[in-house]
Amino acid sequence: MKLTTALLTVAAATLSLSATAQEDAIRKALAQRIPQMDKIDEVRPTPMKGLYEVRIGTDLFYTDAKGDYVIQGELIDSKARRNLTEDRINKLTAVNFSALPLKDAVTIVRGDGKRKVAVFEDPNCGYCKRFERDLQQINNVTVYLFLYPILSPDSAEKSRNIWCSKDQATAWQDQMVRDKPAPAASCDTSALQRNLAFGKKYKITGTPTLIFANGTRVPGAIGAQEVEKRLAEAASDTPSAN
């Protein structure tokens, strides 16, 4: 029995060393041939035999065992009908709600405010305006609005005026629901730059993007009924949340 255990341990160690050597070989080959791939964060095998995932930050590439070929695209598991690339990116860019920099958000409280949702929005985003009008139907919620001016220079100007308003929440609602732009204002807008940096890190590429208390992330505008459903799911997933 002891001999069997020892042999299994040696076999496992040998496989581990082999895998590490394979990953090192891929790193070396790609770094030599493609300068942009000189800082690879992770190399790991995929479910497809002979194909390896190469991760740089949250960007994914695929290569063969020798690093001779590089593929940039999506890996689909046709049998399971799953987009493996999308699943992996979602995992890499998942946002822990408790880690959100809420000090950089405009806080809007309705009713008892017990339920929570964070939203990244651009003041010039038409879908955001539609979403905000639907959101008026939702009560007993705290909305953490992260101004996210990515559409145009005018978006940055409007975001600045809203952020620098004496009543940020009202200024935002005036802009999005009542089509009443905030008056020109100036103040420290470093929070907006931090929002952009945060969004880049977590690949928030469109507005609105919603993040619920259980970490569920929803890109795009959804209706009030779907928001209610997601809030209920988040509440059941995070029973200790206040």
Side-chain angles (χ1 to χ4, degrees), residues 83-212:
N83 185 325
L84 301 183
T85 304
E86 185 178 85
D87 288 350
R88 178 81 165 122
I89 289 176
N90 286 342
K91 185 176 181 179
L92 290 169
T93 59
V95 179
N96 186 331
F97 198 89
S98 63
L100 285 167
L102 301 182
K103 62 182 176 60
D104 292 334
V106 175
T107 303
I108 303 169
V109 181
R110 296 199 180 99
D112 60 29
K114 286 186 177 180
R115 302 181 297 175
K116 294 177 172 61
V117 62
V119 192
F120 286 76
E121 297 186 80
D122 184 303
N124 280 327
C125 165
Y127 291 108
C128 297
K129 290 183 178 181
R130 188 180 75 186
F131 168 74
E132 283 293 333
R133 290 180 175 121
D134 284 341
L135 198 59
Q136 302 303 304
Q137 304 172 43
I138 308 297
N139 198 19
N140 298 327
V141 64
T142 297
V143 179
Y144 297 103
L145 162 70
F146 288 88
L147 290 162
Y148 197 55
I150 59 174
L151 295 180
S152 69
D154 181 63
S155 297
E157 183 177 343
K158 286 178 179 174
S159 294
R160 181 199 67 215
N161 293 338
I162 292 167
W163 181 253
C164 296
S165 296
K166 291 183 179 179
D167 186 339
Q168 297 173 327
T170 297
W172 173 251
Q173 297 297 313
D174 282 346
Q175 173 73 50
M176 304 304 282
V177 180
R178 293 177 279 275
D179 293 320
K180 180 182 175 183
S186 60
C187 65
D188 180 4
T189 57
S190 55
L192 303 185
Q193 298 307 311
R194 289 193 294 269
N195 289 350
L196 292 171
F198 185 92
K200 182 178 180 180
K201 177 180 178 180
Y202 289 97
K203 287 190 176 297
I204 297 175
T205 57
T207 55
T209 291
L210 290 69
I211 300 172
F212 291 88

Side-chain angles (χ1 to χ4, degrees), residues 35-64:
Q36 296 90 332
M37 302 186 84
D38 63 337
K39 294 182 180 178
I40 294 172
D41 293 303
E42 184 181 9
V43 176
R44 67 180 208 165
T46 71
M48 182 176 171
K49 187 176 180 180
L51 188 69
Y52 291 79
E53 175 196 291
V54 177
R55 180 176 67 83
I56 302 175
T58 54
D59 292 325
L60 301 182
F61 305 88
Y62 300 99
T63 186
D64 63 301

Side-chain angles (χ1 to χ4, degrees), residues 22-31 43 52 54 63-65 67:
Q22 184 70 69
E23 293 167 10
D24 288 344
I26 291 173
R27 287 174 184 270
K28 184 177 180 181
L30 293 179
V43 176
Y52 291 79
V54 177
T63 186
D64 63 301

Side-chain angles (χ1 to χ4, degrees), residues 211-224:
I211 300 172
F212 291 88
N214 60 350
T216 301
R217 176 167 159 171
V218 180
I222 56 176

